[in-house]
Amino acid sequence: MITLPLFISGAEIAFIMFILVMVFGADKIPDIARGLGKGMRTLRNASNDIKSEIQKSAEKQGIDTDISKDVRSEISKVKEDIEEITGSVKRRL
């Protein structure tokens, strides 16, 4: 069974769909869904544009925007520390 993030059961979804059909009519629902899809696409494109502008500005200022390298190096350091600690424990067993 697929779980939804809103914890809504199948019967509740069916009831909501029934109410939507009753209120808007079957012929208007595709237009509403199409409008919502266009709105979501516009929002995603706008957020991607903002993200790219921030990255361009940071690169012009000489700011390092690649945080993943720093995170990976910290994770590898922690892994090495854990291996050192568990290595002595494993040898004693």
Side-chain angles (χ1 to χ4, degrees):
M1 183 175 152
I2 299 173
T3 58
L4 297 175
L6 299 177
F7 305 107
I8 297 176
S9 69
E12 291 168 339
I13 292 173
F15 181 73
I16 291 170
M17 292 300 291
F18 176 73
I19 297 297
L20 285 174
V21 170
M22 294 300 291
V23 170
F24 295 111
D27 56 338
K28 298 288 181 185
I29 291 177
D31 295 333
I32 293 170
R34 194 173 302 117
L36 286 172
K38 285 181 183 178
M40 290 172 54
R41 187 179 325 117
T42 303
L43 182 64
R44 186 179 329 131
N45 289 340
S47 67
N48 286 339
D49 290 342
I50 291 170
K51 203 182 307 183
S52 67
E53 288 296 322
I54 290 172
Q55 281 186 327
K56 286 178 187 176
S57 175
E59 288 174 0
K60 285 181 184 178
Q61 298 296 324
I63 300 171
D64 185 23
T65 58
D66 191 19
I67 298 174
S68 62
K69 285 188 240 175
D70 297 334
V71 172
R72 286 186 188 130
S73 67
E74 290 298 321
I75 289 173
S76 65
K77 288 178 187 177
V78 170
K79 283 182 180 179
E80 289 171 4
D81 291 341
I82 290 174
E83 286 297 322
E84 287 178 17
I85 293 170
T86 57
S88 63
V89 172
K90 287 179 184 176
R91 285 184 218 122
R92 292 182 185 169
L93 294 175

